[in-house]
Amino acid sequence: MGTNTRSGSSGRRGRALTAMVSALLAGGLVLGGCSAADTTATATGRTSTSVVATAETASETSTDATTTAATITDSTAAAEAFLATLTDEQREQVLYAYDDETKTTSWSNFPVTFVDRAGLNLNDLTEEQKTAALAVLDALLDDEAYATVTGIMGGDEYLHENSSSTEDSLGQYYIAFFGDPSDTSAWEIQFGGHHLGINATLDGAADAITFAPTHLGVQPAEYTTADGTTVEPFDGIYTDAFAFYDSLTDEQKATLYQGESTAAMVCAPGSTCTFPTGTGISGADLTDEQRQLLLNLIANWAGMADEQTTDAQLAEIEATLDTTYVNWSGATTYDMSQGDGIYFQISGPNVYVEFAAQQGSAGADVAGVTTSGWGHVHTIYRDPTNDYAGSATQQEATGMGGGGGAPGGAAPGGTPPAGAPGGN
């Protein structure tokens, strides 16, 4: 499996990211970046109970597991510890049957005011319960993924405090379990909010973990904490994406490239998907080094847990890489001062990744901060053969207030929800 292990600066930025997120958490997410942002926050009078700040306590004594079995054991123990802090009523809210179809309809790239999330809202929990909930996330994810996820959450909370958005659900996150936490049978951790939707299935009997499907998003591209730390949640993904792009020859880039304009999402988070294939360049047309760089990029979604789990997942993807296609649109240089960002799609028998710059801020504007294009991105990772570890089939998200609308629909008043296809 050694050829699949992420390595070097493009694959293991965990130490630097951990330092970044530690600074973020130490600052208690009292964020700032410019006087205009501070003025907006004061004028709206909004305050946020910072979930991210609580994550510092949850991760104080954690150490990353190195094997699938250890991650499952640690995550199970953390989940049981979290459940022990809850009332009977709360336990009923957070626990679902393993094959409950709610797991497919309760997550999206829409704000939580449009699509009801499953489980418990962390804002409704005590500090002890929040800490225990976030300890589940910390047990599941490696350093790099935990820092990325926490950075995403911090960005949403930053927008809640500093932007012109009237979306009060920014900074709200939900946790749910499908199946009883166990290190001998299958269960799922669902965690997310607006720019985040993790669906991780852990199966001790099969010694396997899958994150398909999972939604990672970001807005803004970067923000600054009160102590002056700059947070760039997607810098790692951008770096890996351009490492792959820059490795290609001019002839390969001509096959890969689809045009200057970025595209709307084909398979939006929370929606069904036909998994398009055959556009762009295939893995069969890449050198061994380029194939490895592509796997490094995919690992940002498929490899969020321990090294053994990552290696196993990437080995499955690598086995069908010859018939996996990659296409790219938009910018060809990682420079957020120019252009409107990038779009890329990776589609094959065992993997589907879509990365789409959203051409609009959805009203979440902060003076001097990039909240569109480069700085407003929605992504999706799915496994066409094994979404939800085969326990359920994706259905459309429940829509606005449970009204049956699907991603791509319009919010009340006709304004498309943030990042919805057709409303970017």
Side-chain angles (χ1 to χ4, degrees):
M1 301 292 183
T3 59
N4 293 327
T5 303
R6 290 189 289 173
S7 61
S9 60
S10 67
R12 284 295 164 198
R13 290 173 298 275
R15 301 297 179 269
L17 283 167
T18 301
M20 174 274 288
V21 81
S22 295
L24 168 65
L25 297 173
L29 207 66
V30 180
L31 300 165
C34 59
S35 59
D38 294 340
T39 301
T40 299
T42 302
T44 60
R46 290 182 288 158
T47 59
S48 173
T49 303
S50 175
V51 174
V52 177
T54 309
E56 181 182 31
T57 303
S59 63
E60 279 178 351
T61 60
S62 68
T63 57
D64 278 353
T66 58
T67 67
T68 302
T71 299
I72 293 173
T73 296
D74 291 350
S75 299
T76 299
E80 290 173 340
F82 168 59
L83 291 173
T85 70
L86 304 180
T87 66
D88 290 344
E89 182 180 1
Q90 287 174 318
R91 287 172 65 92
E92 289 182 6
Q93 287 181 263
V94 81
L95 287 170
Y96 295 76
Y98 176 59
D99 59 356
D100 192 317
E101 68 179 26
T102 303
K103 72 164 65 172
T104 76
T105 61
S106 58
W107 66 282
S108 173
N109 57 5
F110 286 11
V112 303
T113 46
F114 294 107
V115 175
D116 292 332
R117 273 33 174 205
L120 292 169
N121 186 335
L122 268 63
N123 278 357
D124 294 333
L125 303 182
T126 67
E127 287 304 311
E128 176 192 9
Q129 291 169 335
K130 283 184 193 176
T131 299
L134 289 163
V136 177
L137 199 64
D138 187 48
L140 171 68
L141 304 175
D142 69 6
D143 283 348
E144 182 177 359
Y146 189 72
T148 298
V149 166
T150 308
I152 291 168
M153 294 164 66
D156 275 355
E157 292 188 3
Y158 175 90
L159 292 177
H160 183 269
E161 290 298 323
N162 297 299
S163 79
S164 57
S165 175
T166 58
E167 179 52 64
D168 287 333
S169 70
L170 285 169
Q172 293 186 25
Y173 310 95
Y174 287 72
I175 187 169
F177 301 144
F178 291 85
D180 293 325
S182 169
D183 57 9
T184 59
S185 60
W187 61 293
E188 179 184 301
I189 300 169
Q190 187 175 93
F191 184 92
H194 177 25
H195 285 111
L196 183 64
I198 293 174
N199 296 289
T201 303
L202 301 82
D203 189 345
D207 195 31
I209 300 172
T210 176
F211 286 90
T214 277
H215 160 52
L216 303 179
V218 68
Q219 190 182 20
E222 64 179 60
Y223 53 93
T224 305
T225 63
D227 67 357
T229 300
T230 299
V231 183
E232 298 178 79
F234 267 25
D235 179 61
I237 297 177
Y238 274 130
T239 298
D240 285 346
F242 279 95
F244 169 71
Y245 181 86
D246 291 340
S247 75
L248 302 178
T249 66
D250 289 344
E251 183 179 358
Q252 288 174 316
K253 288 176 181 177
T255 304
L256 172 83
Y257 198 65
Q258 305 299 304
E260 294 182 2
S261 299
T262 57
M265 293 196 82
V266 176
C267 296
S271 70
T272 59
C273 184
T274 57
F275 301 112
T277 59
T279 303
I281 192 169
S282 74
D285 296 321
L286 302 176
T287 67
D288 288 346
E289 178 184 359
Q290 291 166 343
R291 288 163 68 95
Q292 184 59 56
L293 291 171
L294 179 59
L295 290 170
N296 288 348
L297 176 57
I298 294 170
N300 285 283
W301 293 268
M304 296 174 68
D306 55 86
E307 291 183 7
Q308 181 185 359
T309 301
T310 299
D311 284 352
Q313 191 63 51
L314 293 185
E316 290 187 8
I317 294 169
E318 186 177 27
T320 57
L321 207 60
D322 283 356
T323 52
T324 297
Y325 285 79
V326 190
N327 64 66
W328 182 290
S329 303
T332 57
T333 302
Y334 184 13
D335 180 358
M336 285 191 285
S337 69
Q338 299 184 29
D340 294 319
I342 61 173
Y343 170 93
F344 63 80
Q345 180 189 104
I346 305 167
S347 187
N350 294 100
V351 62
Y352 182 85
V353 173
E354 192 172 358
F355 181 106
Q358 305 295 298
Q359 299 312 309
S361 67
D365 296 305
V366 181
V369 177
T370 303
T371 58
S372 178
W374 290 99
H376 187 193
V377 175
H378 291 179
T379 79
I380 185 69
Y381 162 64
R382 298 183 66 170
D383 182 343
T385 67
N386 202 34
D387 271 359
Y388 305 103
S391 66
T393 301
Q394 181 65 51
Q395 302 178 49
E396 296 285 4
T398 50
M400 289 70 76
T415 302
N424 297 339

